[in-house]
Amino acid sequence: QVQLEESGGGLVQAGDSLRLSCKDSGSTFSIRAMGWFRQAPGKEREFVAAINWGGGVTYYADSVKGRFSISRDNAKKMVYLQMNSLKPGDTAVYYCARGNGAATTDIVGASVLGAWGQGTLVTVSS
């Protein structure tokens, strides 16, 4: 049963912006940290951004800091990733994930996460 569903991926040019969305159909969204990961062709999946249960604490990978912004709407059970100033190196499949706890540390460096989406492809052309 897929509980997380991403949307918003597509083909854009370098410098463009894109917003990814993730809908959580599970019952624990509002008390769990959420995160975004990505996997580029031929590379391992890597952490991108995390947000705590209430949205007041966020954490980013150095590679996206200042360009990407994660946010959430607990009433809608949605988490978003606003991506600005996109680069060809941002090309990847982007995955939404739900942590097993409420803090960003339950996303960053976690060995096991509660749920994963199936991913949405972002392609940035130069």
Side-chain angles (χ1 to χ4, degrees), residues 25 27 61 63 65 86 89 102 105 110 120:
S25 60
S27 60
S63 59
K65 202 172 294 184
L86 283 161
T105 49
T120 185

Side-chain angles (χ1 to χ4, degrees), residues 42-93:
K43 295 187 177 180
E44 292 187 354
R45 186 151 49 187
E46 64 176 1
F47 166 77
V48 175
I51 188 166
N52 76 328
W53 71 277
V57 179
T58 57
Y59 188 82
Y60 298 93
D62 287 343
S63 59
V64 306
K65 202 172 294 184
R67 299 188 298 123
F68 290 12
S69 178
I70 187 171
S71 61
R72 66 189 295 160
D73 185 332
N74 283 355
K76 296 181 178 179
K77 296 203 289 185
M78 297 287 293
V79 62
Y80 306 98
L81 186 68
Q82 177 66 42
M83 305 185 295
N84 298 327
S85 302
L86 283 161
K87 306 174 182 179
D90 295 317
T91 294
V93 176

